[in-house]
Each structure stands twice: as C-alpha cells, then as structure tokens.
C-alpha cells in the first residue's frame, strides 16, 4: 500500500513540476529589476523598438515563406503535364443573376460553388475566378457546367454548357463565360478553350 | 490474495480512467476551439447567399438549430435580443438550420421574425465541419476568424455566460 501512495505522490510531483518552473523566473524578476540603473526606461524603449523591428521582419519572412510553400505545393499537387484549370468570368449581368455553378468533368462532379452578391459584383467588375484546379490524364474529356440563378423577369434560370476537349501534355485552361445577349435579351453561356 | 488488493486495483483503475474521461471531454471541443473557423457559403431562407469569410473583422455567432428542437426557439429569441443591442458594435449572427426539409425550415424561421439571416444546411456539410452533436449549438468566432467558444444547449446561466463572452470578444 505504501508503495502505491509513493507512486501517487511521485505522479503529483511530476504534474506540478511545470508550474514550479514557471514560477521560478517570476520570483527572481523583482530582484533583477531592483538592481537596474536609473536610465532603464530609455534602454527598455530602445529594446522594445528593436524587438518590434525584429518581429516585423520575421512576419515578412513568414509571409514570403508561405507564398513559396504555396507555389511549391501547387507545383507538386498539380504538375504542369496533368494540370487542368477552369475559370469563370461574367460580362454585364443584366439578364442573369448568378447563384451557383456546378462543374462536371467526364460525368464526375468536381466543383460546386455558391456565390454571394459581393462575389457576383466582383465578377461583373471584371474579376476572373479560378473555379477548379485539378489533374487529368492525356486524352479526350468532356466538361459540363450548370449555371443556376435568376434570369430575365427574376425567374429561376438553369442552363448547362458542354465542351469536349483534348488534353495534351501541358497545362489546360478552360473559361466559363457568362455574357448578356442584348438582341435576344437573354444570357449566354459559353466555354472557351484557351489553346 | 490480501484484502487490500481489490481496493488497490479499483484505485489504480480510477487513476487511469479519470484522466482519460477528462481528456475525452476536452477533445470533444478540441477540433474547432482555438482554430480558424471553417469557411462556408450557404443559401439563406430569405435573402441572398451568405459566406462566413465575408464577415471577417466582425464578431460572429453561428447558431445551429432545428425546427423540432424545443429549446432552439428560446435561444434564437435570446440571440435576436443580443443582435439588436450589439449589432452596431460589430456583431453578426448567422442561424444555421439543419432540417432536411428546407420549406419547413424557412417557415419556422419566418415564424420567429428574426433580424439576423437564417441559413439552410440540408446536406449537413457545415454541421459536420463544426462537429455539431447537439441542438442548439452556438459557436462564437472572434474578429480574426478564430473559434473561441462553443456552447452546447441553452439555459439562463448559459445565456449570462454567453453574453459575458460576447462582450469580451467585442471589446478585443
């Protein structure tokens, strides 16, 4: 029984050790500050400034490193030989208020994106969104995009567009374009293959 | 076999089981508390689609609820009161309904006449991301987009604590 209690006491001691270590420097701090000279505030301000500069430079390095890692990750995950990217752009948007787009490649759904009014506004201003980035093997493929939203007279509107394309060695870029067809007062959906 | 042996064995097993139990209780919240809130975009019952990341810089309360949950209605009303008070201080509340039937969810939301948007998650994708295991469940997200507190269930003491936490986040 004594052995058991000894084990319990030992475990409790181990658990309390980090707290004891944390308390130790705090306890010694006042004596160190008491010994500091009178011009301590000026020195402390200078130290703080240099520390702030160091932090800023470290932050900047971290951002650079993160960018490099992102590029490296994309190169590794989506090599140029197999890469396929699908972009979406919108022109005017008087006859179509975009709600969502779903994307199928070779009959497999690869992307489904829901748009907020702010995102639609950005697209109308000329923004281009990368909707999908993936890998495809060399050969013939089919891409189908379904556009959901509100059409003329605020009616629910769903349209599809399909393109058959050949994937060769090298990256493949496709663009889904939503345009207003002024003559028919209808939206127009097309898929452009960037050769 | 000494008579002390069963007592010793029971104490030893208690020593093993208790930390495991507390660790499991903490781990239930561990996946999301302190981490970046998973982003989502959902359709609203009334109004435009909403994306969480577009509210970065505001304190966000995401409340998961269902129309069959008895305490959810009381919680939504309480959230609506706090929305009226703290909206101008940078509070945004998103009610996420997890019903399968979207029409029923929209009707329930309309009945409460809430000021904040009610979003629909019939596929439960967002609920899975936020580890929703009880209704109502409330997630408090700070201005940097990190999950800071998670409340499962609703009660008067719970509401007081929620308001304290909310004030703290708004003052940060």
């Amino acid at each position: 029984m004594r052995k058991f209690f000894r084990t319990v006491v030992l475990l409790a001691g181990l658990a309390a050790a980090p707290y004891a270590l944390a308390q130790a420097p705090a306890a010694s701090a006042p004596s160190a500050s008491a010994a500091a000279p009178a011009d301590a505030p000026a020195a402390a301000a200078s130290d703080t400034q240099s520390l702030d500069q160091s932090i800023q430079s470290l932050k900047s390095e971290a951002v650079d490193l993160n960018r490099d890692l992102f590029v490296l990750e994309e190169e590794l995950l989506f090599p140029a030989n197999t890469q396929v990217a699908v972009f979406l752009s919108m022109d005017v948007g008087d006859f179509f208020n975009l709600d969502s787009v779903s994307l199928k490649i070779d009959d497999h759904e690869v992307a489904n994106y829901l748009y907020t009014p702010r995102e639609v506004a950005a697209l109308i201003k000329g923004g281009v969104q990368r909707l999908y980035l993936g890998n495809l093997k060399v050969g013939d493929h089919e891409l189908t995009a379904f556009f959901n939203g509100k059409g003329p007279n605020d009616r629910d509107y769903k349209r599809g567009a399909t393109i058959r394309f050949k994937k060769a060695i090298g990256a493949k870029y496709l663009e889904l374009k939503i345009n207003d067809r002024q003559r028919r007062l209808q939206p127009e959906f097309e898929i452009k293959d960037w050769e | 076999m000494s008579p002390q042996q069963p007592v010793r064995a029971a104490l030893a097993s208690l020593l093993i089981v208790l930390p495991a139990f507390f660790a499991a209780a903490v781990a239930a919240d561990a996946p999301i508390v302190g981490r970046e809130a998973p982003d989502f975009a959902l359709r609203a019952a009334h109004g435009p689609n909403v994306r969480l990341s577009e509210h970065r810089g505001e304190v966000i309360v995401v409340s998961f609820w269902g129309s069959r949950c008895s305490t959810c209605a009381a919680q939504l009303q309480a959230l609506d009161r706090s929305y009226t008070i703290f909206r101008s201080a940078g509070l945004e509340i998103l009610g996420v309904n997890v019903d399968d039937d979207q029409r029923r969810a929209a009707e329930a939301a309309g009945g409460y006449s809430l000021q904040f948007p009610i979003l629909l998650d019939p596929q439960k994708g967002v609920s899975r991301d936020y580890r929703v295991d009880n209704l109502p469940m409330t997630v408090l997200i700070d201005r940097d987009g990190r999950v800071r507190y998670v409340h499962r269930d609703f009660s008067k003491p719970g509401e007081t604590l929620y308001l304290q936490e909310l004030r703290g986040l708004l003052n940060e």
Side-chain angles (χ1 to χ4, degrees):
Chain A
M1 195 69 181
R2 196 181 297 164
K3 195 177 170 187
F4 171 73
F5 279 115
R6 206 185 299 158
T7 314
V8 171
V9 169
L10 191 69
L11 281 170
L14 279 171
Y19 298 105
L21 284 170
Q23 290 296 318
S28 64
S31 59
S33 63
D39 59 350
S46 159
D47 282 354
T48 312
Q49 203 174 2
S50 69
L51 190 67
D52 192 41
Q53 280 169 354
S54 304
I55 290 169
Q56 286 305 322
S57 117
L58 271 173
K59 271 185 183 176
S60 165
E61 278 174 31
V63 168
D64 290 348
L65 198 64
N66 192 40
R67 189 195 54 211
D68 292 346
L69 279 171
F70 183 75
V71 171
L72 196 66
E73 190 187 12
E74 279 214 343
E75 280 173 6
L76 281 170
L77 292 174
F78 312 105
N81 283 351
T82 57
Q83 190 184 99
V84 60
V86 181
F87 298 89
L88 185 132
S89 69
M90 205 170 172
D91 187 27
V92 189
D94 284 342
F95 305 131
F96 186 66
N97 188 11
L98 183 64
D99 176 72
S100 67
V101 171
S102 65
L103 205 64
K104 280 183 174 183
I105 295 180
D106 298 332
D107 227 21
H108 293 285
E109 190 173 273
V110 293
N112 200 333
Y113 199 90
L114 196 65
Y115 292 86
T116 63
R118 216 186 269 189
E119 288 169 323
V120 173
L123 287 169
I124 290 170
K125 278 182 184 170
V128 177
Q129 178 207 6
R130 189 174 71 185
L131 188 62
Y132 172 69
L133 181 68
N135 294 302
L136 272 184
K137 61 182 180 184
V138 171
D140 292 322
H141 299 278
E142 187 181 70
L143 181 137
T144 307
F146 294 100
F147 304 87
N148 295 294
K150 295 276 183 193
N153 304 318
D154 209 30
R155 283 184 306 182
D156 287 341
Y157 204 93
K158 184 174 182 174
R159 286 290 182 277
T162 303
I163 188 173
R164 289 196 67 80
F165 63 95
K166 200 175 189 73
K167 172 80 178 72
I169 293 175
K172 185 78 175 171
Y173 301 115
L174 299 161
E175 184 186 359
L176 314 178
K177 294 181 82 170
I178 304 170
N179 301 313
D180 279 349
R181 193 183 280 181
Q182 297 289 345
R183 206 165 43 170
R184 290 179 62 187
L185 300 175
Q186 289 285 324
E188 185 183 54
F189 305 91
E190 61 169 320
I191 306 176
K192 191 179 166 187
D193 187 348
W194 292 0
E195 296 292 348
Chain B
M1 189 173 158
S2 75
Q4 287 173 335
Q5 263 183 342
V7 180
R8 212 181 291 174
L11 278 169
S13 57
L14 203 68
L15 239 143
I16 294 164
V17 169
L18 271 177
F21 173 76
F22 286 118
V26 171
D29 277 352
I32 59 165
V33 173
R35 294 193 178 189
E36 193 166 326
D39 191 24
F40 61 81
L42 287 173
R43 286 199 169 83
H46 307 283
N49 302 332
V50 175
R51 184 175 295 279
L52 179 77
S53 55
E54 288 184 359
H55 294 284
R56 184 66 66 89
E58 293 171 310
V59 173
I60 306 162
V61 175
V62 182
S63 176
F64 294 90
W65 66 284
S67 56
R68 287 182 182 175
C69 148
S70 54
T71 48
C72 290
Q75 199 213 20
L76 288 172
Q77 302 290 350
L79 288 175
D80 203 44
R81 285 195 293 275
S82 54
Y83 189 59
T84 312
I85 301 165
F86 299 114
R87 190 181 183 179
S88 56
L91 172 69
E92 186 56 58
I93 298 179
L94 306 172
V96 179
N97 181 283
V98 297
D99 288 356
D100 294 328
D101 187 348
Q102 293 188 40
R103 192 182 297 172
R104 185 192 172 108
E107 279 173 12
Y112 301 139
S113 56
L114 303 165
Q115 296 173 69
F116 57 84
I118 293 293
L119 313 178
L120 307 172
D121 183 27
Q123 270 95 36
K124 321 271 191 296
V126 178
S127 313
R128 266 194 295 276
D129 287 347
Y130 281 84
R131 313 281 198 274
V132 176
D133 51 9
N134 190 53
L135 291 178
M137 186 176 125
T138 311
V139 180
L140 275 76
I141 301 167
D142 67 17
R143 293 184 195 272
D144 293 329
R146 287 193 178 279
V147 175
R148 295 285 291 273
Y149 306 102
V150 174
H151 290 275
R152 293 178 167 84
D153 210 355
F154 174 73
S155 60
K156 271 286 165 196
E159 189 186 355
T160 315
L161 178 66
Y162 150 79
L163 284 170
Q164 279 174 5
E165 291 167 352
L166 193 62
R167 282 193 197 105
L169 291 179
L170 287 165
N171 287 333
E172 279 179 7

